[in-house]
Amino acid sequence: MAKWLLKRTDANVSLMASTLKISEDLARVLANRGIRTKHDAIKFLNPSTKFFGDSSEMKDMELGVQIIKRSIESKEKIAIYGDYDVDGVTATAILFKSLKALGANVGFYIPHREEDGYGLTKNAIERLHLENIDCILCCDNGISAVEEVSLAKSFGMKVVIIDHHEPSETLPIADAIIDPKQESCTYPFELLCAGGLCYKFSKRLFEAFETDFSLLDDELLVLAMIATFCDVVDLFGENRIIAKTGLKILNENKKVNRGLWHLLHEKEYDEKVLNGHTMGFIVGPCINASGRLESAKLSVELFTHEGSDDEVIEIAKRLVQLNEERKAITQDSVEIAIQEVNPEDKVIVVFNENIPESIAGIVAGRIKERFYKPTVVLTRSGRFIKGSARSIEVYNLFDELTKCRTLFEKFGGHAMAAGLTMVPENMEILKKCLNENCELEPNDFQEIIRIEKELLLDDITFELAEELQILAPYGKGNSEPLFGTKAVSPSDIRLNKDERTLSLKFAIGNNGRALKAVYFNAVDSFKEKLRAKYDEYETDKIIGGVLRGSNLTMDIVYSISINTYMGNQSVQIQIKDCRL
């Protein structure tokens, strides 16, 4: 059962509301997000690129820009070295399109997930050396590639790193390292993903060339927006600006990037209003699928291909097909992994060589959601064991894996996700190490639902729903606001055709007004709660919509949204959890 927590604030909500000319409900949500000044509130409610920091203040930004500028002017061969996830793909596309537009002799290299592994590798550097590459421009990797960068330097290559991962104690001897997480970097916002960093780098590069960036600006900002959603970085500060501005651009011009347009068309989203969910759960998985099942070069080509429309359409179709294949493999792998789980462990560590390395991270995420425990999923990769890990809010995965770092050939990541490589004999040692070091208590394994404010059903109006939309887009660090109401009785319950979703109505006052509610993927859990209060006959009767005599009363937690049906709009709530 989830733990419900009501957020508290000592802010003067009434003063905030009157100063900003917003409702007290919206003001409370802002206060709950730590927004306490008028300036911060205006920036949050009206995010704009004019609020971007000066990227030239970022450590090594000017140095990196000048190195690449000289390489372009000297017609040196430049290789953009990316990564196989959405952030790495879009960052590569941003840099490739920028450098090409400035006349660079440039190509890109995306490592193969299983043949190369993550990040800069010695084998790849040797191949690039044989191709007479003069300069490697890393994006979304490189911050921990100490030996690999040394090899590149021994070949006489220049290396510029643009990365957002946590730096290790020893940094590579690259010519420039742009990563705002470096201790010596004083840039005020350090949570940009690689796509965001590469967008800012590209803009600064155009300024160094005194060349107009406006022709590429919208397109590259949209690519950075996709990366921002899909890499699950915190959606405040500059990330919120990128996310909201990029979505606005894309909704106004879905053809801003030809490949993205064809992908949206294949997924039948070309005429829909796009939001963060579209990026994270429709677009992102298709981009990721190529890196999981084939090569992520295909996804970079979707965004950068200069050939015919027919060729781009074929790439889009292939990405959609690969994602469908990935879904089936994932479902099978999750079922396999569940059989290996020891529910007594505080940290779940499972190994099965039948789980493809490319989807271990997705499987770890599904297991984590099911058991609400930190999860590591391991599989065989040649003579090594490779794994992906996903965590819960109260457990810093990167810190805990760092305590076991002597067990790994290679590892990296952040608080909520990580990847690792080790020899097989260290698997059981890792499991023991993580569990013995884990200080989590039983209460920590409950999902936490944070409630902004307790409302009466009378408070829920179309005007409030409309006002709350200002807070979107939602994601990590800016979750959709949830509200709570106690002791309400549904006047109607209907089981939807999918047999997983419930539609409910709650009567408001005596004027015949009813508030519609939807409760997604809730039938099984709702039945379980009913069975704790009623017998099987009464439970089936309630699920079937017969409420007479049941005296069903609920506490509910929900979001408030606007439902559009056949051109008509109305306020509705989406129930996230309930107690009877």
Side-chain angles (χ1 to χ4, degrees):
M1 182 183 293
K3 186 191 302 181
W4 296 4
L5 296 178
L6 183 64
K7 295 180 181 179
R8 303 288 185 186
T9 178
D10 60 358
N12 188 331
V13 173
S14 297
L15 179 61
M16 284 181 69
S18 62
T19 302
L20 297 168
K21 295 180 173 55
I22 59 177
S23 71
E24 288 197 10
D25 293 327
L26 179 57
R28 182 170 293 277
V29 175
L30 293 178
N32 288 340
R33 279 154 171 68
I35 296 168
R36 307 300 287 269
T37 70
K38 183 177 179 180
H39 179 66
D40 287 346
I42 289 170
K43 284 204 300 184
F44 189 88
L45 295 172
N46 305 282
S48 165
T49 54
K50 70 183 180 183
F51 295 128
F52 273 148
D54 181 356
S55 57
S56 65
E57 295 177 1
M58 202 175 292
K59 184 180 184 299
D60 281 5
M61 176 65 82
E62 289 304 286
L63 178 59
V65 164
Q66 290 304 317
I67 290 168
I68 298 302
K69 181 174 184 286
R70 287 194 295 271
S71 289
I72 293 172
E73 291 170 337
S74 303
K75 295 297 178 184
E76 292 177 348
K77 290 186 74 173
I78 303 170
I80 298 164
Y81 195 103
D83 188 27
Y84 39 66
D85 67 357
V86 177
D87 193 21
V89 163
T90 51
T92 301
I94 288 167
L95 292 175
F96 182 77
K97 293 182 81 73
S98 299
L99 269 64
K100 284 283 281 188
L102 291 169
N105 180 8
V106 62
F108 62 84
Y109 185 99
I110 303 293
H112 189 279
R113 185 183 293 264
E114 295 185 9
E115 293 174 8
D116 293 311
Y118 169 76
L120 200 58
T121 66
K122 292 179 180 179
N123 287 341
I125 290 166
E126 287 168 356
R127 285 198 289 272
L128 294 174
H129 174 57
L130 291 175
E131 294 174 16
N132 298 314
I133 295 297
D134 300 296
C135 180
I136 298 176
L137 177 54
C138 293
C139 57
D140 200 27
N141 67 84
I143 194 67
S144 60
V146 176
E147 293 182 8
E148 293 80 3
V149 170
S150 293
L151 177 62
K153 296 302 295 175
S154 74
F155 288 142
M157 297 176 179
K158 286 174 275 194
V159 181
V160 174
I161 293 170
I162 305 175
D163 203 352
H164 72 114
H165 293 98
E166 296 288 346
S168 54
E169 293 176 7
T170 305
L171 293 176
I173 53 167
D175 296 87
I177 300 176
I178 301 165
D179 184 341
K181 289 190 173 77
Q182 296 176 84
E183 280 188 18
S184 52
C185 183
T186 57
Y187 191 72
F189 190 76
E190 65 173 34
L191 299 177
L192 289 159
C193 64
L197 287 170
C198 291
Y199 166 78
K200 292 176 79 71
F201 180 88
S202 295
K203 191 169 186 178
R204 186 68 201 94
L205 186 62
F206 269 69
E207 290 168 357
F209 272 96
E210 298 181 355
T211 302
D212 184 13
F213 188 62
S214 61
L215 291 177
L216 274 178
D217 199 345
D218 282 0
E219 180 182 6
L220 301 192
L221 188 56
V222 165
L223 294 179
M225 174 270 292
I226 295 171
T228 299
F229 280 112
C230 294
D231 217 52
V232 200
V233 289
D234 294 88
L235 287 187
F236 55 77
E238 294 194 12
N239 287 336
R240 176 168 169 79
I241 296 170
I242 291 170
K244 188 145 190 167
T245 308
L247 274 177
K248 184 175 185 292
I249 292 167
L250 184 57
N251 276 306
E252 290 173 352
N253 177 18
K254 293 193 177 72
K255 294 185 178 180
V256 67
N257 177 276
R258 183 174 58 153
L260 179 58
W261 158 253
H262 285 302
L263 182 62
L264 291 169
H265 179 74
E266 288 300 317
K267 296 297 294 182
E268 299 181 353
Y269 271 76
D270 48 329
E271 295 185 7
K272 294 181 181 179
V273 176
L274 309 176
N275 53 31
H277 182 273
T278 318
M279 299 304 113
F281 295 93
I282 305 300
V283 173
C286 291
I287 299 170
N288 267 331
S290 64
R292 297 188 190 282
L293 301 187
E294 285 189 1
S295 168
K297 291 177 184 176
L298 194 64
S299 290
V300 178
E301 287 170 1
L302 176 79
F303 296 125
T304 62
H305 194 65
E306 296 176 349
S308 68
D309 263 5
D310 286 344
E311 290 169 334
V312 178
I313 290 168
E314 283 306 307
I315 295 172
K317 286 179 181 292
R318 182 61 182 151
L319 293 180
V320 172
Q321 180 188 354
L322 286 170
N323 191 46
E324 291 304 311
E325 293 174 18
R326 190 273 310 162
K327 287 180 185 176
I329 295 168
T330 299
Q331 183 59 39
D332 291 342
S333 296
V334 169
E335 291 173 7
I336 290 170
I338 286 173
Q339 304 304 315
E340 308 288 339
V341 171
N342 179 358
E344 301 300 317
D345 287 341
K346 290 183 176 182
V347 181
I348 294 171
V349 180
V350 299
F351 166 76
N352 192 297
E353 58 186 21
N354 293 318
I355 297 174
E357 176 190 332
S358 60
I359 62 164
I362 302 177
V363 176
R366 300 279 175 84
I367 300 295
K368 182 263 294 186
E369 288 168 8
R370 175 155 178 168
F371 294 94
Y372 201 71
K373 290 183 176 182
T375 300
V376 184
V377 172
L378 304 170
T379 189
R380 190 170 294 281
S381 178
R383 64 187 182 90
F384 289 111
I385 297 296
K386 288 191 178 180
S388 289
R390 299 293 182 268
S391 196
I392 59 177
E393 186 177 342
V394 294
Y395 186 84
N396 189 312
L397 191 58
F398 184 81
D399 287 351
E400 295 303 318
L401 286 173
T402 300
K403 295 174 185 177
C404 312
R405 67 186 310 158
T406 56
L407 301 175
F408 307 130
E409 303 295 311
K410 196 172 185 180
F411 101 98
H414 49 78
M416 298 299 288
L420 55 92
T421 302
M422 63 184 175
V423 293
E425 50 265 33
N426 284 346
M427 275 196 302
E428 287 301 319
I429 304 173
L430 173 65
K431 185 174 182 178
K432 184 178 179 183
C433 178
L434 289 175
N435 277 281
E436 287 183 352
N437 289 337
C438 182
E439 297 178 355
L440 298 181
E441 299 296 331
N443 284 344
D444 294 323
F445 301 117
Q446 287 181 285
E447 183 182 0
I448 298 170
I449 296 178
R450 290 186 165 84
I451 300 167
E452 307 284 348
K453 183 182 179 183
E454 188 176 344
L455 298 177
L456 299 174
L457 293 185
D458 275 333
D459 299 327
I460 303 169
T461 63
F462 185 86
E463 290 72 26
L464 176 59
E466 206 168 31
E467 188 181 36
L468 289 172
Q469 288 187 326
I470 299 169
L471 298 168
Y474 304 119
K476 184 170 177 270
N478 182 41
S479 55
E480 186 172 19
L482 299 178
F483 300 90
T485 303
K486 290 181 178 177
V488 292
S489 297
S491 57
D492 187 49
I493 294 180
R494 290 283 181 268
L495 179 62
N496 289 12
K497 287 180 180 178
D498 65 6
E499 296 190 346
R500 299 194 309 272
T501 303
L502 293 170
S503 292
L504 305 89
K505 287 183 182 177
F506 297 94
I508 301 177
N510 299 315
N511 59 4
R513 183 185 165 213
L515 178 67
K516 293 181 179 178
V518 63
Y519 197 2
F520 290 113
N521 299 316
V523 173
D524 290 341
S525 62
F526 191 61
K527 279 183 178 178
E528 190 177 324
K529 291 170 183 176
L530 286 172
R531 289 188 186 111
K533 299 280 184 183
Y534 302 94
D535 61 27
E536 196 69 29
Y537 171 75
E538 194 73 12
T539 295
D540 289 343
K541 196 172 77 167
I542 292 170
I543 288 289
V546 181
L547 298 176
R548 187 178 303 155
S550 66
N551 193 29
L552 178 63
T553 306
M554 311 161 63
D555 297 341
I556 54 175
V557 176
Y558 51 86
S559 62
I560 302 171
S561 60
I562 294 173
N563 180 46
T564 302
Y565 181 69
M566 297 184 68
N568 297 316
Q569 291 188 318
S570 61
V571 63
Q572 75 170 15
I573 61 173
Q574 292 185 21
I575 298 174
K576 305 297 182 181
D577 198 13
C578 75
R579 293 174 181 168
L580 306 188

